[in-house]
Amino acid sequence: MQLIRDIAGMKKYTRDIHAAGETIALVPTMGYLHKGHQDLMRMGAGMADHLVISIFVNPAQFGENEDLDQYPRDLQRDMELAESVGVECIFFPDNAMMYPKGYSTYIQVEGISHILCGQSRPIHFRGVATIVAKLFNIISPDIAVFGQKDYQQLVIIQRMVDDLNMDVRIIGHPIVREHDGLAMSSRNKYLSASQRKDALVLHQALEYANNIFSAGTRDVKVLKQEVTHIIKGCEGCIIDYVEISDARSLEPLEVISRDKAVIALAVRVGETRLIDNMVLEA
């Protein structure tokens, strides 16, 4: 497995692959890999001739007083986990490489970037769209795999690719959960034992919403009230948002009259902000 730190070297690596008529799958990450990342990588490996991941803690998607400096990092551990699932190359640039002095170009996907997580993190998705576009330009993947835990991010990236006519196929991988239902996340490392137990309420609330949806409830207000009530029953949890939107456009709904909707939420458990979601299908 190769570790490439510079843009020119990464471009040459992928250019040689494409010159041989072979394909590349990319899994962009911020590192501190876990089983969820590995499942994304396995999916990518099964869909292309070569598997590449990127590891870059992107400062452009962190706002003031967020956890940029504290975000967990462990390159040696990441390399071992990546190699165990068939990763052939890791792109590992530094900040100066990706955002050199004088850098001033950012991508903003209008409309859907300022709802849901974008309400409390106003620059977040501008940073996400920008770094993903840069990675696509540098690595030129044929396929890119993203986890559906970051559902809004997945929709935004797909919209960016469609709007800018990027030649890459975006694949969403279902949420990977721990045995007790907690969605896998690098930020779970921040949770104490008691906070981790509290965090289970997110999935429990989503499961309840899915159950009453399956039983016939279509009124968004009722569904949100039930989810909110369950989460507020946990003293250690503070709700950022609970929303139900069209699964494709993220348009907020009042009644679920379409074939598919997504219920998404963000909750602070102690100092840690966690997100989760569930697609509701008739």
Side-chain angles (χ1 to χ4, degrees), residues 56 58-61 98-100 103-109 113 123-138 153 156-157 160 164 166:
F56 181 65
N58 176 30
Q61 67 190 68
M98 299 303 281
Y99 298 108
Y103 187 91
S104 59
T105 302
Y106 296 88
I107 293 177
Q108 180 72 57
V109 181
S113 291
I123 70 164
H124 176 68
F125 289 115
R126 184 188 76 162
V128 169
T130 299
I131 194 62
V132 171
K134 286 174 70 67
L135 291 171
F136 287 173
N137 284 336
I138 293 166
Q153 171 181 279
I156 286 170
I157 291 168
M160 176 186 74
L164 298 182
M166 294 180 172

Side-chain angles (χ1 to χ4, degrees), residues 1 13 17 23-27 38 40-46 48-53 82 85-90 145:
M1 184 178 70
Y13 178 88
I17 289 173
T23 56
I24 298 168
L26 168 67
V27 179
Q38 289 181 302
L40 269 64
M41 294 172 200
R42 290 187 186 97
M43 175 179 273
D49 298 312
H50 299 271
L51 176 60
V52 174
I53 72 167
V85 292
V87 173
E88 299 175 24
C89 177
I90 297 176
V145 184

Side-chain angles (χ1 to χ4, degrees), residues 45-138:
M47 302 181 77
D49 298 312
H50 299 271
L51 176 60
V52 174
I53 72 167
S54 61
I55 297 177
F56 181 65
V57 182
N58 176 30
Q61 67 190 68
F62 287 78
E64 286 187 39
N65 303 316
E66 292 188 351
D67 59 340
L68 174 60
D69 293 336
Q70 291 76 37
Y71 196 87
R73 298 163 170 86
D74 189 336
L75 177 59
Q76 186 59 44
R77 173 181 172 276
D78 287 346
M79 290 176 66
E80 292 169 2
L81 289 175
E83 190 168 24
S84 73
V85 292
V87 173
E88 299 175 24
C89 177
I90 297 176
F91 180 46
F92 185 69
D94 60 19
N95 289 350
M97 181 72 63
M98 299 303 281
Y99 298 108
K101 185 177 180 179
Y103 187 91
S104 59
T105 302
Y106 296 88
I107 293 177
Q108 180 72 57
V109 181
E110 298 292 347
I112 55 177
S113 291
H114 296 297
I115 58 176
L116 303 176
C117 285
Q119 295 179 83
S120 59
R121 306 185 73 191
I123 70 164
H124 176 68
F125 289 115
R126 184 188 76 162
V128 169
T130 299
I131 194 62
V132 171
K134 286 174 70 67
L135 291 171
F136 287 173
N137 284 336
I138 293 166

Side-chain angles (χ1 to χ4, degrees), residues 40 43 47 143-151 154-155 158 169-175:
L40 269 64
M43 175 179 273
M47 302 181 77
I143 293 166
V145 184
F146 294 85
Q148 290 182 2
K149 181 178 75 69
D150 298 295
Y151 194 92
L154 179 62
V155 172
Q158 185 64 68
R169 181 183 172 198
I170 304 301
I171 305 294
H173 188 286
I175 297 174

Side-chain angles (χ1 to χ4, degrees), residues 32 158 184 203 230:
Y32 208 74
Q158 185 64 68
M184 289 190 177
H203 184 55
I230 292 171

